[in-house]
Amino acid sequence: MLRIQADLRAFPKKLEAKIETQPLDKELKKRILLKPKVNVGFIYVKDEMRSAWTKLHLEGQEYVKHLMPEEVYTKSYFDANTLEEQISQIEKAIEDRAQVVFTTSPIMLRASIMMAAKYPKVQILNCSLNTRTGHLRTYFARNFEVQFLNGMIAGILSESDELGYIADYPFYGMISNINAFALGAKMVNPRARVFLDWSTAKQTLQTGHEIKNVDITYIAGEEFNTELNSPKMFGLYDLSKQRFMNLATRKYYWGEFYKQLLTSILNGSFRLIERHGNESINYWWGLSNGMLDLYLKDSLPKQTRRLIEVMKEHMSEGGFNLFSTEMKDQKGRIRNHENESMSLQEIADMDWLLENVVGKIPKLSDFTEEAQELIAQYGIYSLQEGSVDHGIEDPSDQR
């Protein structure tokens, strides 16, 4: 019980974090595998028939299973919806002698923290950007890189200066995706404005005054469709043609992360990454790590495609930091100066919106009851201290 008290006191407040962006296999050829096999448990909220998110992680699990058959044994555990079910499934995996447990959704963060404190000899990692406890390592994709490229595409193709963005949940780290889209649009069109709304809000948060005489042609849809066979549509929507545009497809390669992480455990380098004090470790990987990519379709205009490919390659090689320009928030305050680069921690901590974003980060009470349950635990409000209603009307006043 003593091991878990510190985590329970800290949750859901934010601790110091150490964000890892480098591949884990730099020294693989120089090391000797010390263990013949590692048992790994993968915990899923839903099965692959009901969740596209689960399907992607299952593909990653199958990838390491077939790539490392002599070194890795994996087992899946499904239907971890409630806290009790999540704890039970993690316990089952450990009873089955799992040495490593991947909890594949941010909503399993609390259960993961509790179990990581209870079983310190088991390596438990949660798929989220929440850097809250030193007992637990987390991992996630740098989606803001892809959203920046999508913003460039929308800004180039739009015949007006107005674009739309439909966000879903204000989870920790998600605000950087909105700002990245706005930056990408502004790079190709300095007059570009992004009108923000939330699909999980009780009602539209854009007022008639804000959208009067606005000519929005392209709207970026919700970031990910977690439900298979959902009537919701995702991606870039063309209002003029009343259809979603199949111009670019985001691809996750969770298997690449799982491969490198498990190899680092097998060869002992996993423990060489140390934390200090309350510092936690998060693996935040993107284009440069091969865990995330954006595939451009032939339907994209040739010159636009060429520009985006060049920019993507530049970002993949680490030659371009999109958050290294002057950035002002909606109150005109400078959040970053020209030629200064924001740290990954500052990017993850964003709870303010750029000046060319029209909209706000809503209060918790503005969301549906179902959404409130998730956001209260895993959204940016859970990291706030002393805020009323776990949210503030003016996003530029937050965190």
Side-chain angles (χ1 to χ4, degrees):
M1 186 64 185
L2 292 176
R3 288 196 302 269
I4 199 173
Q5 284 180 350
D7 282 337
L8 292 180
R9 286 196 299 270
F11 186 89
K13 296 178 182 178
K14 182 180 179 302
L15 303 180
E16 294 300 318
K18 180 177 183 179
I19 297 178
E20 293 288 334
T21 63
Q22 297 302 317
L24 294 164
D25 61 354
K26 281 187 172 181
E27 304 295 324
L28 297 188
K29 294 181 180 180
K30 299 180 182 180
R31 297 179 179 274
I32 300 175
L33 295 181
L34 301 178
K35 295 183 180 180
K37 200 152 192 140
V38 60
N39 291 337
V40 187
F42 286 81
I43 315 297
Y44 299 101
V45 175
K46 299 178 181 179
D47 61 37
E48 71 275 23
M49 301 302 294
R50 294 176 291 160
S51 170
W53 185 255
T54 293
K55 188 173 184 295
L56 286 174
H57 284 273
L58 267 173
E59 290 173 355
Q61 179 182 345
E62 288 297 313
Y63 176 78
V64 295
K65 179 179 176 181
H66 288 92
L67 189 68
M68 309 167 69
E70 301 300 321
E71 297 91 0
V72 174
Y73 169 80
T74 75
K75 186 173 181 179
S76 305
Y77 302 83
F78 300 99
D79 296 321
N81 293 283
T82 66
L83 179 64
E84 292 74 18
E85 291 171 342
Q86 293 158 14
I87 291 174
S88 175
Q89 295 293 47
I90 296 172
E91 295 270 15
K92 284 182 182 178
I94 295 173
E95 288 174 6
D96 291 338
R97 300 184 179 181
Q99 300 151 287
V100 182
V101 176
F102 293 108
T103 55
T104 59
S105 170
I107 71 172
M108 288 189 269
L109 176 64
R110 186 172 180 83
S112 302
I113 290 174
M114 296 169 67
M115 292 296 98
K118 184 176 180 181
Y119 299 101
K121 293 184 178 181
V122 179
Q123 302 299 338
I124 299 177
L125 297 96
N126 176 248
C127 185
S128 71
L129 188 56
N130 299 69
T131 50
R132 301 177 179 179
T133 171
H135 286 288
L136 182 79
R137 300 192 191 194
T138 56
Y139 60 102
F140 211 66
R142 295 200 300 268
N143 289 314
F144 65 82
E145 296 177 341
V146 170
Q147 289 293 25
F148 174 79
L149 296 174
N150 282 332
M152 288 185 66
I153 294 173
I156 291 171
L157 297 182
S158 177
E159 295 180 1
S160 71
D161 299 330
E162 288 85 26
L163 303 170
Y165 192 109
I166 307 297
D168 40 29
Y169 299 97
F171 287 162
Y172 182 54
M174 292 301 180
I175 305 305
S176 62
N177 298 344
I178 301 169
N179 286 335
F181 182 88
L183 275 177
K186 190 173 183 179
M187 173 173 276
V188 296
N189 180 0
R191 299 177 303 280
R193 292 191 300 165
V194 176
F195 288 77
L196 172 66
D197 216 333
W198 299 82
S199 64
T200 52
K202 294 176 183 177
Q203 58 187 16
T204 180
L205 299 178
Q206 290 286 1
T207 66
H209 174 71
E210 289 171 332
I211 62 175
K212 185 178 181 180
N213 298 323
V214 169
D215 181 18
I216 298 178
T217 305
Y218 296 108
I219 298 176
E222 294 171 80
E223 293 178 12
F224 190 79
N225 185 354
T226 59
E227 302 289 336
L228 288 177
N229 304 316
S230 169
K232 292 182 180 180
M233 298 299 289
F234 294 74
L236 193 63
Y237 188 77
D238 185 344
L239 280 180
S240 63
K241 297 180 181 178
Q242 293 293 302
R243 63 180 176 85
F244 280 84
M245 304 179 66
N246 190 20
L247 297 177
T249 303
R250 184 189 326 182
K251 292 287 187 181
Y252 292 93
Y253 295 100
W254 296 110
E256 184 61 28
F257 171 77
Y258 292 136
K259 179 198 76 173
Q260 292 196 36
L261 193 285
L262 292 172
T263 303
S264 74
I265 290 176
L266 284 163
N267 65 28
S269 62
F270 179 83
R271 296 186 180 277
L272 297 181
I273 301 177
E274 298 179 352
R275 67 181 183 89
H276 305 281
N278 285 332
E279 183 182 71
S280 62
I281 296 174
N282 174 270
Y283 302 98
W284 201 12
W285 287 10
L287 294 171
S288 62
N289 308 101
M291 198 181 82
L292 187 67
D293 203 352
L294 184 70
Y295 285 90
L296 305 178
K297 302 299 181 68
D298 291 337
S299 52
L300 195 65
K302 185 176 180 179
Q303 294 304 317
T304 300
R305 179 189 175 94
R306 182 181 180 186
L307 174 62
I308 302 301
E309 289 283 12
V310 169
M311 181 60 71
K312 186 179 75 167
E313 182 177 356
H314 203 35
M315 294 170 67
S316 298
E317 294 174 349
F320 178 73
N321 181 344
L322 64 99
F323 291 115
S324 62
T325 185
E326 181 179 276
M327 287 181 284
K328 294 182 181 179
D329 65 20
Q330 291 176 322
K331 282 196 169 183
R333 294 183 294 194
I334 296 178
R335 295 287 187 159
N336 192 71
H337 293 277
E338 190 71 32
N339 297 322
E340 290 183 358
S341 295
M342 296 188 77
S343 69
L344 285 173
Q345 189 62 61
E346 290 173 325
I347 296 171
D349 284 346
M350 281 184 178
D351 60 357
W352 49 269
L353 295 170
L354 283 170
E355 61 179 345
N356 67 322
V357 176
V358 181
K360 64 181 181 180
I361 303 172
K363 294 191 298 183
L364 182 60
S365 59
D366 288 329
F367 292 95
T368 64
E369 291 185 9
E370 181 180 359
Q372 285 183 39
E373 293 180 10
L374 291 175
I375 298 169
Q377 296 183 67
Y378 311 108
I380 59 174
Y381 312 132
S382 64
L383 304 181
Q384 295 284 348
E385 296 183 24
S387 61
V388 179
D389 192 27
H390 302 280
I392 301 174
E393 283 285 358
D394 188 337
S396 61
D397 284 339
Q398 296 181 28
R399 201 161 46 197

